[in-house]
Amino acid sequence: MKFHSIRSILMRIVRRLVVWLLIGISIFAINGAYIRPDEQPIKNLVLIAMCGLVVLIYEVNVHWLFVRYLYNARWIPFLIGSVVLLGTVHTLTYSAYPLLQSAAHISESKIAAGTSTSSLFYWYRIHQLGILGWLYKWEAISLILLNPYFYASLFLLAALFRYYLSLGFDVRQTELTNLALNQENNLLELDLLKAQLNPHFLLNALNSIYVRVINADEQAANLVLRLAELMRYNLYETDATTVSLDQELNYIENYLQLEQARHGQRVEILFSSEGTHENLVIVPLILLAFVENAFKHGIGGQQQEAYVWVEAHIEQATTLVFTVQNSLATSQQRHFPDQKSGGIGLPNVRQRLSLLYPNAHQVDVEHSADSYSVTLTLQLASATVETPHS
């Protein structure tokens, strides 16, 4: 990155030096032809002075007036800056004449008697018009525009052409980028549509299976029904900003029933819910991460009997206290090296809680050699009160 920055700076310096060199070549080639024989001793000095004026005009316009004002259509600051630059060039020309005339050892009367093709005659006329002549004398302005500004104009036009060429390229690139984004959005919408079709198909298939097995195996039918309820909840409820607390707890209970069927008697799974949940709402699936964490990182790999206990109760009408406790095998202690972390899988839900329930939640973690417990205390709102947005 540092090398790239240095290289970029060097490239800008080289480009400027090339422009200055081209300015010098053009002035020496064009204006040098008007040097009179008696002015030959100061030929280079006169041409270098003219190059300095042209470079000043170019640099101020291209790297200040154009960039800050012209390209941003700030016309008034651009015009004011251009007038100030014109006056500055006039003042420098006025001030340089005595030095050039003295270095040439040519009398002013001889310069004044010369033709307009004399290189010093231009500087002489500017000096005769006065230091403030550019403010009220058109001749002073025309002399400036027909000399240093004329040489600079060729390079200023090139800079403008380069800018608008690159601007057109950027517009085309932006159009191509937008087109690519639109195509990606269309593909994404198609993928989302496919993703919606498949779960709907599976949900309908589960309902069909339930009808077929209910008479043959009531327990299996019950599991299929609970799985269908989980899918239905994910499909139709979780798009909402909030759901009722009863719905969320029913979802947790169905999830636990399926886990019980999967683990069998090896894992003791208990669920209890106390308190009045009516009218309380909660962000969907915010509790599931704590339950999943118990199964994924708590009882996994244990050969002996294990347990997962889930309890939810309401305090002070709107405060949910949700506790998940699970057994922890000795080999599993390495999964909980830091009590602050809350175990693997919980940092993400902590962040989500901070966004959805700022200053309205608390997560407490306790773990020992053989157990792990996490308690979420959450201030809930009722269905008639504005709730947090996800």
Side-chain angles (χ1 to χ4, degrees):
M1 183 64 70
K2 184 177 181 180
F3 173 77
H4 178 75
S5 178
I6 294 175
R7 181 182 177 184
S8 177
I9 293 173
L10 290 176
M11 290 298 295
R12 288 199 297 268
I13 293 174
V14 169
R15 283 197 297 267
R16 287 194 178 187
L17 290 177
V18 169
V19 173
W20 295 357
L21 179 61
L22 292 175
I23 290 175
I25 292 174
S26 65
I27 291 176
F28 271 74
I30 299 174
N31 206 33
Y34 298 104
I35 300 294
R36 298 192 319 188
D38 57 344
E39 295 175 348
Q40 287 296 329
I42 61 164
K43 172 183 176 180
N44 293 335
L45 184 60
V46 172
L47 296 179
I48 289 173
M50 181 61 71
C51 285
L53 294 177
V54 175
V55 168
L56 174 66
I57 295 170
Y58 174 83
E59 289 292 324
V60 172
N61 274 286
V62 172
H63 300 292
W64 183 43
L65 295 179
F66 285 3
V67 174
R68 290 193 177 186
Y69 306 124
L70 182 63
Y71 297 158
N72 297 317
R74 300 175 61 188
W75 306 114
I76 294 178
F78 175 73
L79 292 175
I80 293 175
S82 298
V83 171
V84 172
L85 178 60
L86 180 70
T88 302
V89 172
H90 178 91
T91 302
L92 291 175
T93 306
Y94 174 91
S95 304
Y97 168 74
L99 300 176
L100 296 175
Q101 189 263 336
S102 176
H105 300 293
I106 301 175
S107 65
E108 189 169 288
S109 59
K110 192 173 182 179
I111 296 174
T115 64
S116 59
T117 57
S118 169
S119 62
L120 282 180
F121 187 77
Y122 158 74
W123 304 82
Y124 165 75
R125 285 301 301 148
I126 294 293
H127 193 266
Q128 288 299 112
L129 293 170
I131 192 170
L132 298 178
W134 65 279
L135 288 175
Y136 56 91
K137 294 182 180 179
W138 171 248
E139 183 183 359
I141 298 175
S142 64
L143 286 172
I144 295 295
L145 295 178
L146 292 174
N147 283 274
Y149 266 90
F150 168 76
Y151 294 111
S153 64
L154 302 177
F155 298 93
L156 294 179
L157 288 174
L160 288 173
F161 178 76
R162 179 175 176 270
Y163 167 75
Y164 286 107
L165 190 65
S166 64
L167 184 63
F169 177 78
D170 291 341
V171 170
R172 288 193 296 273
Q173 287 295 109
T174 301
E175 291 176 351
L176 291 175
T177 301
N178 290 336
L179 180 60
L181 288 175
N182 288 334
Q183 291 176 342
E184 290 180 4
N185 287 336
N186 290 336
L187 292 175
L188 181 59
E189 289 177 0
L190 181 60
D191 291 340
L192 289 175
L193 181 59
K194 292 178 180 178
Q196 289 176 352
L197 290 175
N198 290 334
H200 283 294
F201 171 78
L202 291 175
L203 180 59
N204 292 331
L206 287 173
N207 289 331
S208 299
I209 294 172
Y210 171 76
V211 172
R212 289 177 179 271
V213 303
I214 187 169
N215 294 325
D217 190 335
E218 185 177 352
Q219 185 177 6
N222 184 51
L223 293 176
V224 171
L225 182 61
R226 290 187 180 276
L227 181 57
E229 287 297 324
L230 290 181
M231 293 193 65
R232 183 177 292 107
Y233 185 80
N234 279 289
L235 280 173
Y236 301 120
E237 304 297 338
T238 56
D239 286 339
T241 305
T242 57
V243 296
S244 71
L245 180 59
D246 283 333
Q247 287 179 293
E248 184 74 1
L249 293 178
N250 287 337
Y251 181 87
I252 296 296
E253 187 174 7
N254 287 330
Y255 179 87
L256 292 174
Q257 289 291 335
L258 291 174
E259 287 286 2
Q260 184 70 79
R262 184 165 71 95
H263 292 284
Q265 298 303 315
R266 184 179 68 85
V267 180
E268 180 187 47
I269 300 177
L270 299 178
F271 175 76
S272 64
S273 176
E274 298 178 359
T276 302
H277 306 155
E278 294 180 1
N279 297 326
L280 294 180
V281 292
I282 189 172
V283 173
L285 302 181
I286 199 72
L287 304 178
L288 182 62
F290 297 97
V291 180
E292 287 181 330
N293 194 73
F295 288 99
K296 290 181 179 179
H297 308 291
I299 65 172
Q302 294 190 52
Q303 299 300 322
Q304 71 275 21
E305 291 185 359
Y307 64 87
V308 174
W309 300 335
V310 179
E311 178 186 355
H313 65 274
I314 300 298
E315 294 181 353
Q316 299 177 353
T318 60
T319 301
L320 169 66
V321 180
F322 186 76
T323 302
V324 180
Q325 183 177 346
N326 58 268
S327 57
L328 184 65
T330 304
S331 60
Q332 295 294 317
Q333 292 182 41
R334 63 180 181 273
H335 290 296
F336 306 96
D338 183 6
Q339 181 174 344
K340 294 180 180 180
S341 69
I344 298 174
L346 296 187
N348 288 339
V349 76
R350 282 178 178 271
Q351 184 177 8
R352 191 177 177 212
L353 285 166
S354 297
L355 295 173
L356 297 171
Y357 294 95
N359 303 318
H361 76 279
Q362 180 177 335
V363 179
D364 297 309
V365 175
E366 296 181 3
H367 65 82
S368 61
D370 57 0
S371 67
Y372 183 87
S373 174
V374 57
T375 299
L376 169 65
T377 304
L378 193 61
Q379 299 294 325
L380 298 180
S382 66
T384 58
V385 180
E386 185 179 354
T387 57
H389 295 282
S390 59

